[in-house]
């Protein structure tokens, strides 16, 4: 009888621990859902769960905290990525000629805040480089041109990725649209001029 009670007590303790761990994980997941701009940095179980959330900052906020050596390293990686995109564009078999004339958007485009974009175009393929007056190369992307629409997937120096969707003006001197960062969830309007 005493052995049965002890076995029953062990089973109750095991149940309690599993429910405590499951409950803690549900709370952590709930916090993650409430604060989607955060990432779970650490989960520790020894003292029965310890979680640490890390807030993801917008690129404008945390680019300033990147040490110069790390910034230079990341810029070289972005430049290498752009170079690979350019090589793919040069060696790609051009698609069949569309029924319409493709706009030529190659060149340097200006945006607010001293940011410029260099766009290279080969047929309907696009390579893009974002330059910040203070920090240098801050993003690169690749995409395509379809009619008057430009669609570019990009990577930033702060490790985020996203999409840039633009429309070419009738005179070809303005690109307007929006960007959407897949990591931070931030999106907004974009206007480029040349």
């Amino acid at each position: 009888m005493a052995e049965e009670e002890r076995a029953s007590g062990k089973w109750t303790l095991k149940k309690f621990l599993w429910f405590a761990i499951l409950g803690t994980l549900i709370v952590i997941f709930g916090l993650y859902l409430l604060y989607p701009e955060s990432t779970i940095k650490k989960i520790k179980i020894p003292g029965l769960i310890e979680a640490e959330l890390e807030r993801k900052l917008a690129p404008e906020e945390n680019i300033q905290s990147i040490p110069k050596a790390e910034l230079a390293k990341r810029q070289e990686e972005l430049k290498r990525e752009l170079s690979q995109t350019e090589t793919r564009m040069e060696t790609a078999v051009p698609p069949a000629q569309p029924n319409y004339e493709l706009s030529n958007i190659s060149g340097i485009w200006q945006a607010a805040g001293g940011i410029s974009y260099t766009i290279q175009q080969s047929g309907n393929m696009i390579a893009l480089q974002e330059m910040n007056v203070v920090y240098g190369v801050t993003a690169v992307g690749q995409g395509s041109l379809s009619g008057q629409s430009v669609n570019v997937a990009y990577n930033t120096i702060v490790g985020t990725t996203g999409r840039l969707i633009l429309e070419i003006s009738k005179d070809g001197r303005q690109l307007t649209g929006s960007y959407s960062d897949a990591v931070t969830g931030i999106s907004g309007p974009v206007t480029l001029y040349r």
Side-chain angles (χ1 to χ4, degrees):
M1 175 97 171
E3 212 172 291
E4 218 175 276
E5 285 178 24
R6 272 188 263 147
S8 174
K10 282 184 180 178
W11 176 245
T12 306
L13 180 61
K14 282 183 180 179
K15 272 186 178 177
F16 172 77
L17 287 175
W18 279 111
F19 283 121
I21 291 170
L22 181 63
T24 305
L25 290 173
I26 289 171
V27 168
I28 291 169
F29 185 69
L31 285 172
Y32 180 72
L33 290 176
L34 287 173
Y35 301 101
E37 72 278 359
S38 299
T39 55
I40 298 172
K41 185 175 179 183
K42 173 173 68 171
I43 295 178
K44 186 178 177 183
I45 295 185
L48 198 59
I49 301 286
E50 174 184 318
E52 186 176 322
L53 296 176
E54 179 178 64
R55 182 171 174 256
K56 289 182 183 175
L57 301 174
E60 299 78 35
E61 292 178 288
N62 69 18
I63 193 170
Q64 297 165 347
S65 66
I66 300 172
K68 285 186 179 185
E70 178 65 18
L71 189 65
K73 179 181 165 190
R74 292 182 188 187
Q75 286 174 328
E76 286 305 313
E77 182 59 35
L78 289 175
K79 288 176 184 176
R80 200 170 17 264
E81 187 178 324
L82 181 65
S83 176
Q84 290 170 351
T85 297
E86 292 168 348
T87 300
R88 280 192 302 271
M89 286 172 53
E90 290 170 2
T91 59
V93 175
Q97 195 66 355
N99 297 346
Y100 51 86
E101 187 176 325
L102 282 174
S103 297
N104 182 356
I105 61 170
S106 290
I108 299 174
W109 295 77
Q110 301 298 320
I115 296 174
S116 65
Y117 294 83
T118 301
I119 297 177
Q120 297 174 1
Q121 179 181 348
S122 176
N124 73 329
M125 297 186 302
I126 304 292
L128 176 139
Q129 176 179 275
E130 178 185 80
M131 288 289 290
N132 181 299
V133 192
V134 177
Y135 299 107
V137 177
T138 52
V140 297
Q142 62 184 20
S144 62
L145 174 64
S146 177
Q148 295 299 104
S149 299
V150 179
N151 188 330
V152 176
Y154 66 80
N155 298 317
T156 70
I157 198 161
V158 294
T160 65
T161 60
R163 188 151 301 279
L164 183 64
I165 310 270
L166 301 168
E167 289 292 321
I168 306 166
S169 66
K170 289 183 181 182
D171 66 2
R173 301 194 51 77
Q174 184 174 322
L175 297 172
T176 56
S178 63
Y179 74 94
S180 178
D181 196 294
V183 177
T184 63
I186 297 172
S187 60
V190 174
T191 302
L192 307 178
Y193 303 93
R194 68 171 168 181

